[in-house]
Amino acid sequence: MGLRHLARRGAAPVTRTLAGLPGGIVTKRRGRGSEPEDVRLWAEGDDRRHIDRNATARTGLLHVRTHHDERDRAVILLADFRPSMLFGTKRTLRSIAAAEALALLGWRIVADGGRVGLAIASAGEPTVLRPAGGERAMASVTGALAVAHAEALEAASGEDAPLEPLLGIAASLLPSGGHLVIASALDAPGPDFDRLLGLVAERVSVRLLLVSDAFERARRPGFFPFALSDGRRGSLRADGTGERVLDARLADYAARGIAGLRLDVEAGPESYAPLMERLDAVL
């Protein structure tokens, strides 16, 4: 909830504009809008540029097409709280960094008049909220993030479930032309994840926040011991190529039309805010 104030710094809502007069007078945008609304008989004062040629030719009477401006932005925030995300070596866990960035983005979207929904992947049942607008909707999103993360920490064991089913659910909540923002390290997303993501990207806009811990990017080559919450132990082999792999992964998704950002866990919300501002501008 506290991140809403950070998200609002420098916010300039895109859904409204100020009149060219002194003072804060809010007016509608000028222009006819982009979405067809109705066809009716021409009346004195109508702009001749809006004449509908088909209706006019069919009836022999002048008809005009009216429009309204479609400004409804529906965005689903997909947060990955699976066991592999409950890991971190600096500042916080990858899962918390994902939640911070999504919360910042969500507050910006509702401030601009958009609608925000939520999908959370975890060890248990997924959490899903349909897109809604206003601060009340964002309060529900932040509350759901907090509850789901606490439950994920309690059940932080076992293998990661594939992300594919939740990806399909999240996409089904969006109208054509909606937006899906995924915050995840994409560890073990599932064998069919990339194919399904490509299909989803044909219907909605998909953006990726690839979360990474400092250890992943800068670890020295060698073997590193680890212990899991269930008592299991092992060792991890590092080859020192983590940062190059992450950037190459983002470049690969970008080549397929899925733009993304690298989210460094140790950077923190102050650094995420301008990134989310730029992301909000293209949604």
Side-chain angles (χ1 to χ4, degrees):
M1 290 292 290
L3 291 176
R4 62 180 171 173
H5 303 294
L6 180 59
R8 286 173 177 171
R9 288 185 193 173
V14 296
T15 55
R16 52 186 189 171
T17 184
L18 296 180
L21 296 171
I25 302 173
V26 179
T27 64
K28 293 182 179 179
R29 289 176 182 260
R30 300 180 63 182
R32 66 173 187 168
S34 57
E35 294 295 314
E37 185 172 46
D38 193 17
V39 176
R40 59 170 175 78
L41 285 169
W42 182 83
E44 189 67 33
D46 284 337
D47 193 328
R48 294 180 182 273
R49 292 175 299 175
H50 302 164
I51 291 175
D52 187 285
R53 292 177 293 178
N54 292 334
T56 298
R58 185 169 61 251
T59 63
L61 300 172
L62 280 176
H63 280 70
V64 293
R65 182 177 292 274
T66 60
H67 297 76
H68 71 275
D69 201 349
E70 179 56 65
R71 302 191 191 282
D72 178 29
R73 282 198 305 167
V75 183
I76 291 289
L77 309 175
L78 195 158
D80 187 356
F81 291 169
R82 297 177 302 158
S84 65
M85 289 291 289
L86 308 176
F87 160 79
T89 59
K90 286 190 177 181
R91 193 181 73 84
T92 191
L93 306 179
R94 296 194 295 183
S95 52
I96 292 179
E100 290 169 339
L102 292 178
L104 284 165
L105 180 61
W107 282 118
R108 291 194 62 88
I109 291 167
V110 297
D112 289 350
R115 296 185 296 129
V116 174
L118 181 67
I120 302 176
S122 63
E125 290 296 317
T127 300
V128 177
L129 296 178
R130 291 184 174 275
E135 291 198 357
R136 181 175 296 181
M138 221 15 237
S140 297
V141 167
T142 56
L145 285 168
V147 170
H149 195 269
E151 293 175 348
L153 287 174
E154 290 181 1
S157 62
E159 300 292 330
D160 283 358
L163 284 174
E164 297 149 355
L166 187 61
L167 179 61
I169 293 172
S172 71
L173 299 176
L174 288 168
S176 181
H179 306 274
L180 175 62
V181 181
I182 303 171
S184 171
L186 291 185
D187 293 333
D192 211 30
F193 177 80
D194 282 349
R195 185 190 69 83
L196 180 58
L197 188 65
L199 293 175
V200 169
E202 293 177 2
R203 193 178 70 85
V204 302
S205 167
V206 178
R207 293 294 183 269
L208 175 64
L209 301 178
L210 191 61
V211 185
S212 72
D213 183 81
F215 178 76
E216 296 176 86
R217 300 190 308 277
R219 61 195 179 203
R220 300 185 304 276
F223 288 88
F224 296 84
F226 65 85
L228 302 179
S229 58
D230 59 5
R232 289 183 296 163
R233 295 178 178 272
S235 61
L236 171 71
R237 182 180 180 181
D239 57 11
T241 62
E243 187 163 14
R244 294 198 300 273
V245 170
L246 287 168
D247 291 343
R249 196 172 191 183
L250 283 172
D252 179 57
Y253 278 112
R256 288 182 276 166
I258 301 169
L261 299 169
R262 199 182 79 195
L263 202 67
D264 297 345
V265 170
E266 68 276 13
E270 289 281 351
S271 296
Y272 301 160
L275 294 177
M276 296 307 103
E277 182 178 354
R278 292 200 295 271
L279 181 58
D280 177 42
V282 300
L283 292 180

